[in-house]
Amino acid sequence: MSEIAANISVDSQDEVLPSAMTVALVQLALACGGFGIGTGEFAIMGLLPNVAETFSVTTPQAGYVISAYALGVVVGAPVIAVLAAKMARRTLLLTLMLIFAAGNISSAMAPTFETFTLLRFVSGLPHGAYFGVAALVAASMVPVHRRARAVGRVMLGLTVATLLGTPLTTFFGQSLDWQVAFFSVGVLGLLTVALIWFYVPKDRVSAEAGFLRELGAFRRPQVWLTLGIAAVGYGGMFAMFSYIASTTTEVAMLPETAVPIMLVLFGVGMNAGNFIGSWLADKSLLGTIGGSLVYNIVVLTTFSLTAANPYLLGLSVFLVGCGFAAGPALQTRLMDVAADAQTLAAASNHSAFNIANAIGAWLGGLVIAGGYGFAATGYVGAALSFLGLFVFAASLRLERRDRSSQAV
Protein backbone atom coordinates (compact mmCIF):
# COMPACT_ATOMS: atom_id res chain seq x y z
CA MET A 1 0.00 0.00 0.00
CA SER A 2 1.49 3.33 -1.02
CA GLU A 3 2.38 5.87 1.61
CA ILE A 4 1.50 9.56 1.63
CA ALA A 5 2.98 12.25 3.83
CA ALA A 6 0.59 13.60 6.43
CA ASN A 7 1.46 17.16 5.66
CA ILE A 8 1.97 16.81 1.93
CA SER A 9 1.78 20.01 -0.09
CA VAL A 10 -0.85 19.87 -2.80
CA ASP A 11 0.95 22.67 -4.59
CA SER A 12 4.10 20.68 -5.20
CA GLN A 13 4.80 20.38 -8.90
CA ASP A 14 6.72 17.12 -8.60
CA GLU A 15 4.17 15.36 -6.41
CA VAL A 16 3.02 11.96 -7.61
CA LEU A 17 -0.71 11.77 -6.94
CA PRO A 18 -2.49 8.42 -6.43
CA SER A 19 -4.61 6.85 -9.13
CA ALA A 20 -8.22 7.89 -9.68
CA MET A 21 -9.42 4.50 -8.39
CA THR A 22 -7.41 4.87 -5.17
CA VAL A 23 -8.79 8.37 -4.64
CA ALA A 24 -12.36 7.16 -5.25
CA LEU A 25 -12.02 4.29 -2.76
CA VAL A 26 -10.55 6.60 -0.11
CA GLN A 27 -13.35 9.12 -0.60
CA LEU A 28 -15.93 6.32 -0.37
CA ALA A 29 -14.42 5.08 2.88
CA LEU A 30 -14.34 8.56 4.40
CA ALA A 31 -17.86 9.39 3.18
CA CYS A 32 -19.15 6.21 4.81
CA GLY A 33 -17.97 7.58 8.14
CA GLY A 34 -19.71 10.87 7.40
CA PHE A 35 -22.91 8.96 6.62
CA GLY A 36 -22.75 7.17 9.96
CA ILE A 37 -22.02 10.34 11.90
CA GLY A 38 -24.79 12.30 10.18
CA THR A 39 -27.29 9.51 10.73
CA GLY A 40 -26.39 9.21 14.41
CA GLU A 41 -26.57 12.96 14.97
CA PHE A 42 -30.01 13.55 13.45
CA ALA A 43 -31.87 10.26 14.06
CA ILE A 44 -32.39 11.11 17.74
CA MET A 45 -34.60 14.06 16.81
CA GLY A 46 -37.34 11.76 15.52
CA LEU A 47 -36.94 9.29 18.39
CA LEU A 48 -37.14 11.64 21.40
CA PRO A 49 -40.67 10.54 22.41
CA ASN A 50 -39.57 6.90 22.33
CA VAL A 51 -36.48 7.63 24.42
CA ALA A 52 -38.57 9.65 26.88
CA GLU A 53 -41.02 6.77 27.31
CA THR A 54 -38.24 4.22 27.88
CA PHE A 55 -36.52 6.25 30.59
CA SER A 56 -39.72 7.77 32.07
CA VAL A 57 -38.73 11.38 31.40
CA THR A 58 -40.50 14.17 29.52
CA THR A 59 -39.76 14.80 25.86
CA PRO A 60 -38.11 18.20 26.65
CA GLN A 61 -35.90 16.42 29.19
CA ALA A 62 -35.03 13.80 26.59
CA GLY A 63 -33.92 16.70 24.39
CA TYR A 64 -30.92 17.13 26.69
CA VAL A 65 -29.26 14.25 24.86
CA ILE A 66 -29.15 16.39 21.70
CA SER A 67 -27.37 19.13 23.63
CA ALA A 68 -25.01 16.55 25.12
CA TYR A 69 -24.01 15.32 21.64
CA ALA A 70 -23.52 18.88 20.38
CA LEU A 71 -21.36 19.67 23.42
CA GLY A 72 -19.27 16.60 22.64
CA VAL A 73 -18.70 17.90 19.11
CA VAL A 74 -17.71 21.38 20.30
CA VAL A 75 -15.34 20.05 22.98
CA GLY A 76 -13.99 17.04 21.15
CA ALA A 77 -12.88 18.69 17.91
CA PRO A 78 -10.16 21.01 19.29
CA VAL A 79 -9.13 18.78 22.20
CA ILE A 80 -8.64 15.67 20.07
CA ALA A 81 -6.88 17.63 17.32
CA VAL A 82 -4.33 18.94 19.81
CA LEU A 83 -3.80 15.74 21.79
CA ALA A 84 -3.46 13.64 18.61
CA ALA A 85 -1.08 16.06 16.86
CA LYS A 86 1.68 13.42 16.67
CA MET A 87 -0.64 10.64 15.50
CA ALA A 88 -0.72 9.55 11.86
CA ARG A 89 -3.93 10.67 10.20
CA ARG A 90 -4.96 7.15 9.16
CA THR A 91 -4.46 5.91 12.71
CA LEU A 92 -6.42 8.85 14.07
CA LEU A 93 -9.32 8.20 11.70
CA LEU A 94 -9.44 4.54 12.78
CA THR A 95 -9.37 5.53 16.46
CA LEU A 96 -12.10 8.14 16.04
CA MET A 97 -14.45 5.75 14.29
CA LEU A 98 -13.86 3.05 16.89
CA ILE A 99 -14.83 5.53 19.62
CA PHE A 100 -17.86 6.59 17.59
CA ALA A 101 -18.96 2.98 17.04
CA ALA A 102 -18.45 2.06 20.70
CA GLY A 103 -20.36 5.16 21.84
CA ASN A 104 -23.39 4.36 19.68
CA ILE A 105 -23.51 0.64 20.43
CA SER A 106 -23.20 1.44 24.14
CA SER A 107 -25.96 4.05 23.76
CA ALA A 108 -28.27 1.28 22.57
CA MET A 109 -27.57 -0.64 25.79
CA ALA A 110 -27.66 2.29 28.25
CA PRO A 111 -29.46 1.24 31.47
CA THR A 112 -30.40 4.74 32.66
CA PHE A 113 -31.15 8.14 31.15
CA GLU A 114 -28.07 9.65 32.79
CA THR A 115 -25.88 6.96 31.27
CA PHE A 116 -27.51 7.44 27.88
CA THR A 117 -26.88 11.20 28.03
CA LEU A 118 -23.22 10.64 28.93
CA LEU A 119 -22.81 8.17 26.07
CA ARG A 120 -24.32 10.65 23.59
CA PHE A 121 -21.67 13.14 24.73
CA VAL A 122 -18.96 10.51 24.16
CA SER A 123 -20.41 9.69 20.73
CA GLY A 124 -20.14 13.35 19.75
CA LEU A 125 -16.47 13.70 20.68
CA PRO A 126 -15.04 12.23 17.42
CA HIS A 127 -17.46 14.12 15.13
CA GLY A 128 -15.54 17.32 14.36
CA ALA A 129 -12.07 15.78 14.43
CA TYR A 130 -13.17 13.03 12.03
CA PHE A 131 -14.53 15.42 9.42
CA GLY A 132 -11.54 17.72 9.78
CA VAL A 133 -8.94 14.99 9.36
CA ALA A 134 -10.96 13.26 6.62
CA ALA A 135 -11.11 16.53 4.68
CA LEU A 136 -7.33 16.96 4.98
CA VAL A 137 -6.68 13.41 3.77
CA ALA A 138 -9.06 13.80 0.82
CA ALA A 139 -7.61 17.18 -0.19
CA SER A 140 -4.03 15.89 0.00
CA MET A 141 -4.72 13.25 -2.66
CA VAL A 142 -5.95 15.55 -5.47
CA PRO A 143 -4.55 18.56 -7.34
CA VAL A 144 -4.99 21.91 -5.63
CA HIS A 145 -7.71 23.04 -8.03
CA ARG A 146 -9.89 20.05 -7.03
CA ARG A 147 -9.55 20.26 -3.24
CA ALA A 148 -13.03 21.60 -2.49
CA ARG A 149 -14.66 18.92 -4.60
CA ALA A 150 -12.69 16.25 -2.71
CA VAL A 151 -13.87 17.77 0.58
CA GLY A 152 -17.41 17.91 -0.79
CA ARG A 153 -17.36 14.18 -1.58
CA VAL A 154 -16.35 13.42 2.00
CA MET A 155 -19.14 15.65 3.31
CA LEU A 156 -21.53 13.95 0.89
CA GLY A 157 -21.86 11.23 3.50
CA LEU A 158 -23.29 13.79 5.93
CA THR A 159 -25.74 15.26 3.43
CA VAL A 160 -26.92 11.84 2.19
CA ALA A 161 -27.52 10.92 5.83
CA THR A 162 -30.12 13.69 6.09
CA LEU A 163 -31.83 12.34 2.99
CA LEU A 164 -31.67 8.57 3.56
CA GLY A 165 -29.93 7.52 6.77
CA THR A 166 -31.93 9.59 9.24
CA PRO A 167 -35.42 8.80 7.82
CA LEU A 168 -34.64 5.06 7.60
CA THR A 169 -33.20 4.72 11.10
CA THR A 170 -36.03 6.82 12.50
CA PHE A 171 -38.60 4.59 10.78
CA PHE A 172 -37.07 1.36 12.05
CA GLY A 173 -36.41 2.89 15.45
CA GLN A 174 -40.09 3.80 15.80
CA SER A 175 -41.37 0.54 14.28
CA LEU A 176 -39.08 -1.84 16.18
CA ASP A 177 -37.17 -0.20 19.02
CA TRP A 178 -35.23 3.08 19.22
CA GLN A 179 -32.15 1.15 20.39
CA VAL A 180 -32.02 -0.47 16.93
CA ALA A 181 -31.23 2.94 15.42
CA PHE A 182 -28.14 3.49 17.55
CA PHE A 183 -26.96 -0.08 17.19
CA SER A 184 -27.21 0.32 13.39
CA VAL A 185 -25.19 3.54 13.53
CA GLY A 186 -22.55 1.72 15.56
CA VAL A 187 -22.36 -0.97 12.87
CA LEU A 188 -21.87 1.76 10.26
CA GLY A 189 -18.95 3.00 12.35
CA LEU A 190 -17.38 -0.48 12.36
CA LEU A 191 -17.90 -0.74 8.59
CA THR A 192 -16.05 2.56 8.20
CA VAL A 193 -13.18 1.23 10.30
CA ALA A 194 -12.84 -1.70 7.90
CA LEU A 195 -13.00 0.52 4.81
CA ILE A 196 -10.39 2.95 6.18
CA TRP A 197 -8.13 0.03 7.15
CA PHE A 198 -8.21 -1.40 3.63
CA TYR A 199 -8.32 1.71 1.44
CA VAL A 200 -6.78 4.74 3.18
CA PRO A 201 -2.99 4.73 2.63
CA LYS A 202 -0.64 4.82 5.58
CA ASP A 203 0.95 8.22 6.21
CA ARG A 204 3.99 9.57 7.95
CA VAL A 205 3.82 12.14 10.72
CA SER A 206 5.82 15.30 10.13
CA ALA A 207 8.83 15.64 12.43
CA GLU A 208 7.64 19.14 13.34
CA ALA A 209 4.15 17.98 14.31
CA GLY A 210 3.08 18.62 17.88
CA PHE A 211 0.36 20.11 20.04
CA LEU A 212 2.11 23.48 20.25
CA ARG A 213 2.14 23.77 16.46
CA GLU A 214 -1.56 22.88 16.31
CA LEU A 215 -2.38 25.44 18.99
CA GLY A 216 -0.68 27.95 16.74
CA ALA A 217 -3.83 27.92 14.60
CA PHE A 218 -5.58 29.99 17.24
CA ARG A 219 -2.90 32.68 16.98
CA ARG A 220 -4.02 33.39 13.42
CA PRO A 221 -6.83 35.96 13.15
CA GLN A 222 -8.02 34.53 9.84
CA VAL A 223 -8.76 31.19 11.52
CA TRP A 224 -10.96 32.93 14.09
CA LEU A 225 -12.69 35.00 11.42
CA THR A 226 -13.43 31.95 9.26
CA LEU A 227 -14.82 30.09 12.26
CA GLY A 228 -16.83 33.21 13.08
CA ILE A 229 -18.36 33.22 9.59
CA ALA A 230 -19.52 29.63 10.16
CA ALA A 231 -20.76 30.18 13.72
CA VAL A 232 -22.68 33.40 13.01
CA GLY A 233 -23.41 33.51 9.29
CA TYR A 234 -24.85 30.00 9.01
CA GLY A 235 -26.93 29.90 12.18
CA GLY A 236 -29.87 30.98 10.03
CA MET A 237 -30.26 27.58 8.40
CA PHE A 238 -30.65 26.01 11.85
CA ALA A 239 -33.00 28.75 13.07
CA MET A 240 -35.40 27.74 10.30
CA PHE A 241 -34.79 23.98 10.32
CA SER A 242 -35.20 23.56 14.10
CA TYR A 243 -38.86 24.56 13.86
CA ILE A 244 -39.75 23.30 10.38
CA ALA A 245 -42.24 20.73 11.71
CA SER A 246 -44.31 23.39 13.51
CA THR A 247 -44.03 25.78 10.57
CA THR A 248 -45.38 23.07 8.29
CA THR A 249 -48.39 22.20 10.45
CA GLU A 250 -49.23 25.54 12.07
CA VAL A 251 -48.32 28.09 9.40
CA ALA A 252 -48.82 26.22 6.12
CA MET A 253 -51.67 24.24 7.80
CA LEU A 254 -50.46 20.95 6.35
CA PRO A 255 -50.99 17.57 8.08
CA GLU A 256 -48.19 15.95 10.07
CA THR A 257 -47.62 13.55 7.20
CA ALA A 258 -46.21 16.50 5.21
CA VAL A 259 -43.35 17.01 7.69
CA PRO A 260 -41.24 14.10 6.32
CA ILE A 261 -41.71 15.57 2.83
CA MET A 262 -40.25 18.87 4.03
CA LEU A 263 -37.35 17.02 5.63
CA VAL A 264 -36.66 15.20 2.36
CA LEU A 265 -36.77 18.49 0.43
CA PHE A 266 -34.27 19.96 2.86
CA GLY A 267 -32.03 16.91 2.46
CA VAL A 268 -32.20 17.11 -1.33
CA GLY A 269 -31.27 20.78 -1.08
CA MET A 270 -28.27 20.01 1.14
CA ASN A 271 -27.00 17.44 -1.36
CA ALA A 272 -27.47 19.83 -4.27
CA GLY A 273 -25.75 22.61 -2.33
CA ASN A 274 -22.84 20.38 -1.41
CA PHE A 275 -22.32 19.37 -5.04
CA ILE A 276 -22.66 22.85 -6.53
CA GLY A 277 -20.86 24.61 -3.69
CA SER A 278 -17.76 22.39 -3.84
CA TRP A 279 -17.53 22.94 -7.61
CA LEU A 280 -17.89 26.71 -7.19
CA ALA A 281 -15.36 26.79 -4.35
CA ASP A 282 -12.69 25.32 -6.62
CA LYS A 283 -13.40 28.20 -9.01
CA SER A 284 -13.60 30.98 -6.41
CA LEU A 285 -13.27 30.11 -2.73
CA LEU A 286 -13.99 33.54 -1.26
CA GLY A 287 -16.62 34.26 -3.89
CA THR A 288 -18.50 31.11 -2.88
CA ILE A 289 -18.43 32.01 0.83
CA GLY A 290 -19.54 35.60 0.30
CA GLY A 291 -22.08 34.67 -2.34
CA SER A 292 -23.65 31.98 -0.16
CA LEU A 293 -24.16 34.49 2.67
CA VAL A 294 -26.02 36.83 0.32
CA TYR A 295 -27.96 33.86 -1.05
CA ASN A 296 -29.00 32.85 2.47
CA ILE A 297 -30.30 36.35 3.22
CA VAL A 298 -32.55 36.19 0.17
CA VAL A 299 -33.91 32.65 0.57
CA LEU A 300 -34.45 32.89 4.35
CA THR A 301 -36.36 36.13 3.91
CA THR A 302 -38.41 34.47 1.17
CA PHE A 303 -39.11 31.58 3.54
CA SER A 304 -40.73 33.93 6.06
CA LEU A 305 -42.74 35.74 3.40
CA THR A 306 -44.11 32.58 1.75
CA ALA A 307 -44.35 30.05 4.61
CA ALA A 308 -48.15 30.09 4.61
CA ASN A 309 -48.24 28.75 1.04
CA PRO A 310 -47.60 24.98 1.06
CA TYR A 311 -45.97 24.89 -2.37
CA LEU A 312 -43.77 27.94 -1.82
CA LEU A 313 -42.85 26.63 1.64
CA GLY A 314 -41.56 23.42 0.06
CA LEU A 315 -39.58 25.37 -2.50
CA SER A 316 -38.11 27.63 0.19
CA VAL A 317 -37.11 24.67 2.37
CA PHE A 318 -35.27 23.13 -0.60
CA LEU A 319 -33.51 26.43 -1.37
CA VAL A 320 -32.49 26.96 2.26
CA GLY A 321 -31.02 23.45 2.26
CA CYS A 322 -28.94 24.47 -0.77
CA GLY A 323 -27.24 26.98 1.53
CA PHE A 324 -25.03 24.10 2.67
CA ALA A 325 -22.97 25.05 -0.39
CA ALA A 326 -20.70 26.97 1.99
CA GLY A 327 -19.67 23.83 3.90
CA PRO A 328 -16.86 22.61 1.60
CA ALA A 329 -15.75 26.20 0.95
CA LEU A 330 -15.31 27.03 4.63
CA GLN A 331 -13.51 23.74 5.27
CA THR A 332 -11.09 24.47 2.42
CA ARG A 333 -10.64 28.08 3.53
CA LEU A 334 -9.53 26.87 6.97
CA MET A 335 -6.88 24.69 5.33
CA ASP A 336 -5.49 27.77 3.59
CA VAL A 337 -5.42 30.13 6.57
CA ALA A 338 -4.21 27.59 9.16
CA ALA A 339 -0.80 27.12 7.49
CA ASP A 340 0.97 24.30 9.38
CA ALA A 341 -1.78 23.86 12.02
CA GLN A 342 -4.40 22.43 9.69
CA THR A 343 -5.74 19.60 11.84
CA LEU A 344 -6.97 21.81 14.67
CA ALA A 345 -8.41 24.42 12.34
CA ALA A 346 -10.16 21.90 10.09
CA ALA A 347 -11.63 20.01 13.03
CA SER A 348 -12.88 23.21 14.66
CA ASN A 349 -15.04 23.95 11.61
CA HIS A 350 -17.64 21.49 12.87
CA SER A 351 -17.50 22.97 16.35
CA ALA A 352 -18.36 26.30 14.73
CA PHE A 353 -21.30 24.79 12.84
CA ASN A 354 -22.63 23.24 16.05
CA ILE A 355 -22.38 26.65 17.71
CA ALA A 356 -24.34 27.98 14.74
CA ASN A 357 -26.92 25.26 15.40
CA ALA A 358 -27.24 26.32 19.04
CA ILE A 359 -27.39 30.06 18.26
CA GLY A 360 -29.93 29.63 15.48
CA ALA A 361 -32.26 27.38 17.47
CA TRP A 362 -32.01 29.65 20.54
CA LEU A 363 -32.72 32.89 18.69
CA GLY A 364 -35.50 31.23 16.70
CA GLY A 365 -37.07 30.09 19.96
CA LEU A 366 -36.88 33.61 21.41
CA VAL A 367 -38.68 35.08 18.40
CA ILE A 368 -41.39 32.42 18.58
CA ALA A 369 -41.80 32.92 22.34
CA GLY A 370 -42.10 36.66 21.66
CA GLY A 371 -45.24 36.00 19.66
CA TYR A 372 -43.86 36.57 16.15
CA GLY A 373 -44.72 33.08 14.95
CA PHE A 374 -42.80 30.16 13.46
CA ALA A 375 -42.43 31.80 10.05
CA ALA A 376 -40.36 34.58 11.64
CA THR A 377 -37.44 32.17 12.09
CA GLY A 378 -36.52 32.95 8.48
CA TYR A 379 -36.03 36.61 9.38
CA VAL A 380 -33.79 35.53 12.26
CA GLY A 381 -31.74 33.47 9.81
CA ALA A 382 -31.47 36.36 7.35
CA ALA A 383 -30.25 38.65 10.14
CA LEU A 384 -27.59 36.12 11.16
CA SER A 385 -26.41 35.80 7.55
CA PHE A 386 -26.23 39.59 7.35
CA LEU A 387 -24.03 39.66 10.46
CA GLY A 388 -21.92 36.94 8.88
CA LEU A 389 -21.28 39.28 5.95
CA PHE A 390 -19.62 41.75 8.35
CA VAL A 391 -17.31 39.00 9.64
CA PHE A 392 -16.57 38.02 6.05
CA ALA A 393 -15.81 41.66 5.17
CA ALA A 394 -13.40 41.85 8.12
CA SER A 395 -11.63 38.73 6.84
CA LEU A 396 -11.29 40.23 3.34
CA ARG A 397 -10.00 43.51 4.72
CA LEU A 398 -7.37 41.73 6.83
CA GLU A 399 -6.27 39.64 3.87
CA ARG A 400 -5.87 42.69 1.64
CA ARG A 401 -3.93 44.48 4.33
CA ASP A 402 -1.58 41.51 4.76
CA ARG A 403 -1.01 41.34 1.00
CA SER A 404 -0.25 45.06 0.87
CA SER A 405 2.28 44.78 3.70
CA GLN A 406 3.97 41.83 2.00
CA ALA A 407 4.22 43.74 -1.27
CA VAL A 408 6.02 46.65 0.38
Side-chain angles (χ1 to χ4, degrees):
M1 190 176 292
S2 61
E3 300 203 340
I4 55 173
N7 293 299
I8 192 169
S9 170
V10 293
D11 295 299
S12 175
Q13 296 300 313
D14 57 354
E15 176 187 352
V16 178
L17 294 173
S19 67
M21 178 60 73
T22 298
V23 171
L25 290 172
V26 169
Q27 291 175 353
L28 173 64
L30 299 176
C32 181
F35 180 78
I37 290 175
T39 301
E41 179 180 16
F42 295 116
I44 183 62
M45 297 176 184
L47 297 172
L48 282 182
N50 308 79
V51 172
E53 182 180 358
T54 297
F55 293 117
S56 300
V57 298
T58 66
T59 299
Q61 287 174 325
Y64 294 157
V65 301
I66 298 177
S67 300
Y69 184 93
L71 180 61
V73 178
V74 173
V75 172
V79 171
I80 292 174
V82 170
L83 294 180
K86 284 188 170 295
M87 185 179 292
R89 287 177 178 167
R90 178 177 179 271
T91 303
L92 179 55
L93 287 170
L94 290 169
T95 303
L96 291 171
M97 288 313 299
L98 282 172
I99 295 172
F100 176 77
N104 279 280
I105 293 173
S106 299
S107 294
M109 300 184 291
T112 66
F113 180 69
E114 291 74 18
T115 304
F116 180 64
T117 303
L118 176 61
L119 288 169
R120 295 318 297 154
F121 171 80
V122 172
S123 299
L125 290 174
H127 181 128
Y130 176 83
F131 277 112
V133 176
L136 291 172
V137 171
S140 72
M141 300 181 73
V142 298
V144 65
H145 64 279
R146 299 182 66 88
R147 288 180 306 157
R149 273 169 282 186
V151 172
R153 292 189 188 101
V154 171
M155 298 182 75
L156 186 63
L158 177 63
T159 57
V160 171
T162 65
L163 184 61
L164 296 177
T166 299
L168 285 174
T169 53
T170 300
F171 172 77
F172 286 111
Q174 292 174 340
S175 304
L176 302 175
D177 200 332
W178 64 264
Q179 287 94 338
V180 172
F182 291 102
F183 183 81
S184 299
V185 170
V187 172
L188 282 173
L190 293 177
L191 173 61
T192 303
V193 169
L195 291 174
I196 291 174
W197 178 270
F198 284 111
Y199 296 128
V200 176
K202 294 180 180 180
D203 58 293
R204 298 187 302 274
V205 180
S206 170
E208 293 79 22
F211 71 92
L212 289 178
R213 188 175 79 170
E214 290 299 329
L215 286 173
F218 288 150
R219 292 198 299 266
R220 297 181 174 88
Q222 285 289 14
V223 170
W224 285 107
L225 287 170
T226 304
L227 293 174
I229 294 170
V232 177
Y234 296 96
M237 178 190 300
F238 300 105
M240 181 281 291
F241 187 61
S242 298
Y243 304 97
I244 188 58
S246 297
T247 304
T248 301
T249 57
E250 297 188 30
V251 180
M253 305 304 292
L254 291 169
E256 287 188 357
T257 52
V259 175
I261 296 175
M262 293 299 169
L263 297 179
V264 168
L265 287 172
F266 186 80
V268 173
M270 285 187 69
N271 280 275
N274 180 61
F275 177 78
I276 297 171
S278 58
W279 181 83
L280 290 174
D282 277 330
K283 305 297 180 182
S284 175
L285 191 60
L286 293 176
T288 301
I289 295 173
S292 65
L293 287 168
V294 175
Y295 170 86
N296 282 345
I297 294 173
V298 174
V299 296
L300 285 164
T301 301
T302 302
F303 169 85
S304 291
L305 293 173
T306 62
N309 184 298
Y311 298 103
L312 293 179
L313 173 64
L315 177 61
S316 294
V317 168
F318 166 77
L319 293 175
V320 173
C322 290
F324 189 76
L330 287 168
Q331 190 79 66
T332 306
R333 170 69 171 169
L334 281 168
M335 295 179 194
D336 291 341
V337 299
D340 57 355
Q342 292 188 346
T343 303
L344 177 57
S348 297
N349 186 43
H350 292 270
S351 294
F353 271 107
N354 272 268
I355 292 173
N357 190 348
I359 291 175
W362 174 62
L363 291 177
L366 287 180
V367 169
I368 294 168
Y372 294 96
F374 291 102
T377 55
Y379 293 133
V380 173
L384 286 171
S385 295
F386 186 71
L387 290 175
L389 274 178
F390 283 93
V391 183
F392 177 67
S395 177
L396 286 181
R397 182 177 180 182
L398 177 62
E399 183 161 302
R400 289 168 182 162
R401 189 184 69 185
D402 290 343
R403 286 178 180 175
S404 297
S405 63
Q406 293 172 3
V408 175

